[in-house]
Amino acid sequence: MRTTLTLDSDVATSLKRLCQERQVTMKALVNQALREGLRQLQTPAPKAPFQTDSVSVGRCLIANLDDIAEALELADDEPLR
């Protein structure tokens, strides 16, 4: 397919420089750049992982968490029956 593109001057300069460096034609370089760009545009952007801010809640008020009954008693502030 034959078409006409109007390139911004910075894009044209970059293309010309890359053509010389890679020793390829403008047609080949533009096709490669478009293929890579289209592939990237068609790939969904990765979602940022969900994060929550951490908050300091202070030191543990229960000396030993191994005794569940004691921990619950202290939390309820009522003696066990």
Side-chain angles (χ1 to χ4, degrees), residues 50-67:
F50 181 78
Q51 291 184 327
T52 57
D53 296 330
S54 61
V55 178
S56 175
V57 292
R59 64 177 180 83
C60 184
L61 300 176
I62 301 172
N64 184 4
L65 292 178
D66 292 335
D67 185 356

Side-chain angles (χ1 to χ4, degrees), residues 1 3 10 15 22 24 31 36 38 46 52 55 57 59 61-65 70 72-74 77-78:
M1 178 176 158
T3 189
D10 60 323
L15 282 171
R22 297 181 182 189
V24 295
N31 278 311
E36 290 179 20
L38 289 170
T52 57
V55 178
V57 292
R59 64 177 180 83
L61 300 176
I62 301 172
N64 184 4
L65 292 178
E70 181 186 357
L72 290 173
E73 181 181 343
L74 289 170
D77 211 19
E78 296 178 10

Side-chain angles (χ1 to χ4, degrees), residues 9-25:
S9 60
D10 60 323
V11 174
T13 302
S14 294
L15 282 171
K16 288 177 185 176
R17 183 180 44 80
L18 282 172
C19 284
Q20 291 173 350
E21 288 176 9
R22 297 181 182 189
Q23 297 179 348
V24 295
T25 64

